[in-house]
Amino acid sequence: KSFLNHTAYLSCYFPNSQKTGIEDLRVFWQKGTEEVVHEVYYGQEKLDNLSPKYINRTKMDMDKWTLQLLNAGIVDEGQYTCIIQQRHKGSPKVIHTSECLLHIIANYSQPEIAWLHTGELKPNEYLNLSCSSSGGYPEPKRMTWLISHGNTTRRLTHHMDVSQDAVTKLYNVTSKLNIPVPRNTLTNISCLLHLGEQLGSLVSVPLGI
């Protein structure tokens, strides 16, 4: 995983148990089956075969066998393969391959609750709220409303509207809440954006009614 516009680190996981010198190795990275991302040809970096979008964006740490991909973007997500060949009589032979799957993460803004109606709240009417968060990646799982009064909390999961920016590929999300106006008791309402198992969740500032 790598944060958007930061450096991604992709490892070859090459043990080099034979302690082969880099002057006898050809190391190249490719994305998918077509694009060459980086090539070190018997100790020298070689640019001839690179896909144009990776030129001046990669650095290889030959001590750690790790490729640095600078300014990682959402278009860089995907499967990368590291292939190492050793100089051999005739044609070079492949001595190591490994694969890396790159995921990009962009932080969502803190969810924010907004009123969708004007005027005073009256009993027997409905409370209309929205909760929004923007500028994140990947697409979140869901949004949950938490309605607390006294010692009880209700959780409501409503439909979440999701839109994706055509250029940046970042997501904006909104959920709406429509409930009867709480009566005779202080009620706190928050919304929770679930980003996925490993990414946790974000919670709004609670709204007191």
Side-chain angles (χ1 to χ4, degrees), residues 118-181:
T118 54
E120 279 186 58
L121 287 180
K122 295 178 183 159
N124 304 322
E125 290 187 346
Y126 274 78
L127 183 65
N128 286 314
L129 302 174
S130 75
C131 181
S132 304
S133 175
S134 61
Y137 191 90
E139 187 176 343
K141 302 297 180 198
R142 65 188 180 281
M143 204 174 242
T144 304
W145 290 88
L146 305 177
I147 302 159
S148 306
H149 41 83
N151 294 327
T152 62
T153 298
R154 276 195 301 151
R155 287 174 171 261
L156 299 175
T157 302
H158 288 278
H159 172 73
M160 181 174 70
D161 288 314
V162 178
S163 63
Q164 187 177 27
D165 187 288
V167 178
T168 65
K169 306 295 182 197
L170 299 177
Y171 288 100
N172 299 324
V173 293
T174 302
S175 176
K176 293 188 174 143
L177 180 70
N178 184 279
I179 56 168
V181 171

Side-chain angles (χ1 to χ4, degrees), residues 110-113 131 189-193 202-207:
Q110 183 180 18
E112 200 168 308
I113 296 176
C131 181
I189 298 175
S190 313
C191 71
L192 196 61
L193 181 64
L202 294 172
V203 66
S204 69
V205 173
L207 178 71

